[in-house]
Amino acid sequence: MRILAIDYGKKRTGLAVTDDLQIIANGLTTIATKDLEAFILDYARRENVERIVVGHPRQMNGLDSENMCRITPFVNRLRKLLPQTPVELFDERFTSVLAHQTMLESGIGRKARQNKALVDEISATIILQGWLEARRMKTSVPGEQASADS
C-alpha cells in the first residue's frame, strides 16, 4: 500500500508517493489545485493508498501560515470523500527551501530551477520523506510501540 503526500498550494499542488513497501518517497506530479480532488479520487481508485499526508504550513514561531485557511477545508473534504483513508497533517516548514537546495545540489540547470511545478513536486517528496523518517524514529524508540494510527 502506498502513502500519498500533498504540498497544497493556492494555484498548484505537488504530489509524491511511496513505493508499495513504503520505503522511498518519489515525486508523482504537480497538478492545478482546482483539479486536485478529482485527481486524488481517481488515483486512490487505481492505486492502493493507505494514507494521505498533507503538508502543514507553519511559520517560524509555530503558528499556522495563511495557506492553512485553504488547507483545512480541503482536508475536511478529503476525509469525507475517502473515509477509509486516514488524512493527516505533517509540518512542511523549510520544504521549499530544501527543494531549491536539492535542485542546486543535483546540478539541475537554472531554467529548470525556476520551474515552480518541479519545486512543488520536490517539496511534496520532502514532506513525505520527512513523514517516513518520523514514523521510523517513532517505531524504533526502545520500549515504545507504534500505535495502529502510525
Side-chain angles (χ1 to χ4, degrees):
M1 295 185 80
R2 297 176 186 271
I3 298 170
L4 179 67
I6 300 171
D7 180 32
Y8 190 94
K10 186 176 181 178
K11 295 179 183 177
R12 281 178 324 279
T13 296
L15 300 165
V17 68
T18 63
D19 58 307
D20 286 332
L21 298 175
Q22 300 179 3
I23 297 171
I24 303 284
N26 295 297
L28 179 61
T29 191
T30 301
I31 190 161
T33 299
K34 66 181 177 61
D35 301 325
L36 181 60
E37 285 179 26
F39 180 90
I40 291 172
L41 289 174
D42 181 58
Y43 187 82
R45 247 189 311 278
R46 290 182 288 113
E47 299 290 335
N48 203 358
V49 177
E50 174 185 310
R51 175 178 308 271
I52 299 173
V53 177
V54 180
H56 186 169
R58 290 190 171 151
Q59 300 173 38
M60 291 297 293
N61 62 6
L63 296 175
D64 290 345
S65 76
E66 58 95 12
N67 198 32
M68 205 53 203
C69 68
R70 288 181 280 279
I71 292 174
T72 299
F74 166 73
V75 166
N76 291 337
R77 283 191 309 274
L78 259 188
R79 288 178 174 150
K80 286 180 184 164
L81 292 168
L82 298 167
Q84 72 287 2
T85 307
V87 179
E88 67 180 86
L89 296 171
F90 185 76
D91 193 342
E92 70 168 34
R93 277 180 282 192
F94 310 116
T95 54
S96 292
V97 172
L98 289 170
H100 282 288
Q101 184 178 345
T102 300
M103 292 169 80
L104 272 172
E105 291 173 359
S106 71
I108 291 177
R110 181 184 182 112
K111 189 153 181 117
R113 288 195 311 265
Q114 294 173 342
N115 178 349
K116 292 180 181 180
L118 181 58
V119 172
D120 294 337
E121 184 177 326
I122 292 171
S123 292
T125 306
I126 291 169
I127 290 166
L128 185 52
Q129 193 63 47
W131 185 89
L132 288 168
E133 289 170 13
R135 182 180 68 173
R136 281 187 206 112
M137 298 270 294
K138 192 186 295 185
T139 60
S140 67
V141 175
E144 284 190 20
Q145 281 193 311
S147 69
D149 225 24
S150 296

